[in-house]
């Protein structure tokens, strides 16, 4: 029991410090160790299912992640720990957000924020919960409310001088501006995020570089877009981020090389890992690009692809137990 408990906590630590390859190997060992045991106490059972959810989440299998979190919830009822409950609600909020179950996500994020705000030591988690609330409201086209959450998160992050969270807040404000077509403001926020070394050097820095590159391509500032593309592609390759390698290839092929075959290949990889939310957004951008350039045939195909991707998001939610 003690060995299993230690390994579970070690796994949580590796996730927090972004040692993703090592964490995946460790969790596979944990699964074998757990299978050999006849019984364990509620705390260990909770951690096992909770971290199994985190493992599936990291693999981007969000539906399976939620199913494991629900198994963990049955054990959590026997653990009277406010912070553990808040951590659980936060993880559920993030997972539901990924499959666009926005109202479920909002409920869990609200519960997490309520608890974290009453504990000064957990201000960072309160800021993260604020940003999840903003992300859900952005999806629901409640732009002013979303921006209010992001600005509150930025204010709180600046107050505690946490550059990682400041960077994430700027990144999210950039996404908010993209959703409203405010590309110049979006560019400013992504660049503000990338000026912060803690954010720029993290895995989230790759995300910001991608979004900035995409904005620059949409703005037809091709020379600058290419420079950021080269940097982002190199970073994604070094980090083994196949998702972002595909995304960088896609926008470079679409806007710069006009290579429809590479665009299609990049989308195919994203389909194999069920990133239907991202596919829906990217194919809509591709459709609008072709429409703007007078290619009605390709525009119609990609509008249809975007609609199909949204159907797949709904189908994935049917796999929830």
């Amino acid at each position: 029991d003690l060995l299993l408990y230690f390994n579970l906590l070690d796994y949580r630590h590796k996730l927090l410090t972004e040692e993703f390859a090592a964490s995946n190997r460790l969790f596979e060992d944990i699964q074998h160790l757990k299978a050999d045991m006849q019984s364990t106490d509620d705390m260990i059972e909770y951690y096992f299912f909770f971290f199994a959810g985190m493992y599936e989440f990291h693999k981007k299998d969000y539906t399976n992640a939620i199913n494991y979190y629900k198994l963990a919830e049955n054990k959590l009822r026997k653990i009277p720990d406010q912070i553990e409950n808040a951590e659980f609600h936060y993880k559920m909020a993030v997972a539901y957000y990924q499959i666009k179950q926005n109202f479920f996500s909002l409920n869990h994020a609200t519960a997490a924020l309520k608890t974290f705000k009453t504990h000064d030591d957990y201000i960072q988690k309160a800021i993260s919960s604020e940003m999840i609330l903003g992300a859900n409201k952005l999806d629901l086209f409640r732009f002013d409310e979303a921006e209010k959450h992001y600005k509150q998160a930025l204010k709180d992050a600046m107050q505690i001088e946490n550059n990682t969270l400041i960077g994430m807040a700027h990144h999210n404000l950039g996404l908010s501006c993209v959703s409203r077509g405010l590309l110049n403001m979006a560019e400013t926020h992504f660049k503000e995020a990338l000026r912060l070394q803690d954010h720029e050097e993290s895995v989230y820095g790759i995300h910001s570089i991608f979004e900035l590159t995409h904005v620059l391509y949409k703005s037809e500032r091709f020379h600058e877009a290419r420079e950021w593309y080269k940097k982002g592609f190199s970073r994604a390759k070094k980090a083994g981020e196949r998702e972002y390698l595909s995304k960088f290839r896609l926008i470079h092929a679409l806007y710069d090389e006009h290579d429809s075959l590479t665009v299609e290949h990049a989308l195919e990889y994203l389909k194999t890992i069920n990133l239907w939310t991202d596919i829906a957004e990217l194919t809509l951008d591709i459709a609008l690009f072709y429409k703007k350039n007078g290619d009605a045939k390709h525009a119609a195909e990609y509008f249809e692809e975007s609609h199909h991707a949204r159907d797949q998001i709904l189908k994935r939610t049917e796999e929830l137990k």
Side-chain angles (χ1 to χ4, degrees):
D1 278 12
L2 188 61
L3 178 62
L4 181 57
Y5 184 67
F6 170 79
N7 281 335
L8 286 165
L9 294 183
D10 190 23
Y11 174 69
R12 188 178 211 169
H13 180 260
K14 282 181 168 59
L15 284 179
L16 287 169
T17 53
E18 298 182 6
E19 298 173 59
F20 297 122
S23 70
N24 286 344
R25 289 193 299 272
L26 176 58
F27 196 78
E28 285 160 12
D29 292 341
I30 289 169
Q31 287 175 313
H32 292 305
L33 183 61
K34 176 79 166 57
D36 292 336
M37 299 182 69
Q38 297 299 314
S39 63
T40 50
D41 64 26
D42 288 324
M43 178 67 83
I44 290 178
E45 287 281 339
Y46 167 72
Y47 277 137
F48 177 77
F49 289 128
F50 186 50
F51 296 158
M54 291 168 71
Y55 176 73
E56 294 296 331
F57 184 92
H58 179 59
K59 292 196 309 181
K60 304 186 190 301
D61 191 338
Y62 305 119
T63 306
N64 256 347
I66 292 168
N67 287 333
Y68 272 115
Y69 288 151
K70 286 182 176 180
L71 291 172
E73 188 174 18
N74 294 329
K75 301 295 177 182
L76 184 61
R77 295 189 182 101
K78 299 179 182 178
I79 303 169
D81 185 317
Q82 280 191 328
I83 293 300
E84 205 63 72
N85 273 266
E87 289 275 8
F88 169 81
H89 283 299
Y90 176 74
K91 292 294 185 187
M92 282 291 264
V94 175
Y96 272 124
Y97 168 73
Q98 292 293 342
I99 60 169
K100 300 307 174 188
Q101 293 292 294
N102 300 107
F103 292 107
F104 285 117
S105 183
L106 281 169
N107 286 339
H108 285 290
T110 301
L113 179 62
K114 184 178 178 182
T115 300
F116 287 137
K117 281 178 76 172
T118 61
H119 293 78
D120 292 340
D121 291 346
Y122 287 86
I123 181 64
Q124 294 181 31
K125 280 299 177 101
I127 294 167
S128 296
S129 301
E130 196 87 61
M131 286 195 274
I132 283 293
L133 286 167
N136 279 289
K137 289 181 180 179
L138 190 61
D139 279 358
L140 296 168
F141 305 104
R142 289 152 64 176
F143 298 122
D144 290 342
E145 291 178 47
E147 191 165 309
K148 186 177 177 182
H149 284 296
Y150 288 147
K151 285 184 174 177
Q152 183 64 51
L154 179 59
K155 179 183 174 184
D156 293 343
M158 291 177 75
Q159 194 169 349
I160 62 171
E161 299 179 345
N162 186 307
N163 283 344
T164 300
L165 289 172
I166 293 170
M168 286 301 296
H170 275 298
H171 175 91
N172 286 321
L173 281 163
L175 293 178
S176 176
C177 292
V178 169
S179 294
R180 290 177 291 157
L182 305 173
L183 298 185
N184 288 338
M185 286 179 65
E187 177 191 344
T188 299
H189 282 296
F190 292 134
K191 285 183 174 177
E192 282 293 323
L194 290 165
R195 283 193 188 99
L196 300 164
Q197 188 176 5
D198 289 344
H199 178 82
E200 197 274 340
E201 291 181 352
S202 75
V203 67
Y204 303 109
I206 299 171
H207 304 181
S208 293
I209 294 172
F210 170 76
E211 296 296 345
L212 175 58
T213 305
H214 200 175
V215 162
L216 292 168
Y217 270 130
K218 283 182 178 180
S219 304
E220 298 183 357
R221 289 162 58 192
F222 297 108
H223 178 72
E224 194 176 351
R226 284 182 204 116
E227 293 303 310
W228 282 104
Y229 160 76
K230 289 173 188 173
K231 182 174 183 177
F233 189 85
S234 175
R235 283 278 309 278
K237 190 173 183 179
K238 186 177 179 181
E241 278 275 338
R242 289 188 64 191
E243 172 194 339
Y244 277 87
L245 282 172
S246 293
K247 288 179 176 180
F248 277 114
R249 283 193 184 104
L250 188 153
I251 59 172
H252 181 60
L254 178 68
Y255 296 98
D256 219 346
E257 297 182 323
H258 307 293
D259 180 353
S260 58
L261 192 60
T262 299
V263 169
E264 200 52 49
H265 284 162
L267 280 173
E268 283 304 315
Y269 174 71
L270 298 178
K271 289 174 186 176
T272 65
I273 56 173
N274 295 311
L275 286 186
W276 294 109
T277 300
D278 291 8
I279 292 165
E281 293 172 359
L282 287 167
T283 48
L284 180 59
D285 282 338
I286 296 168
L288 292 170
F289 172 81
Y290 282 125
K291 182 183 177 184
K292 182 180 177 182
N293 286 278
D295 188 339
K297 181 177 178 290
H298 278 103
E301 286 175 6
Y302 280 102
F303 279 127
E304 194 172 320
E305 280 250 28
S306 184
H307 181 72
H308 173 73
R310 293 182 192 284
D311 285 345
Q312 296 307 307
I313 297 167
L314 294 174
K315 285 181 181 177
R316 295 289 288 168
T317 62
E318 291 171 6
E319 297 172 21
L320 294 174
K321 296 174 184 175

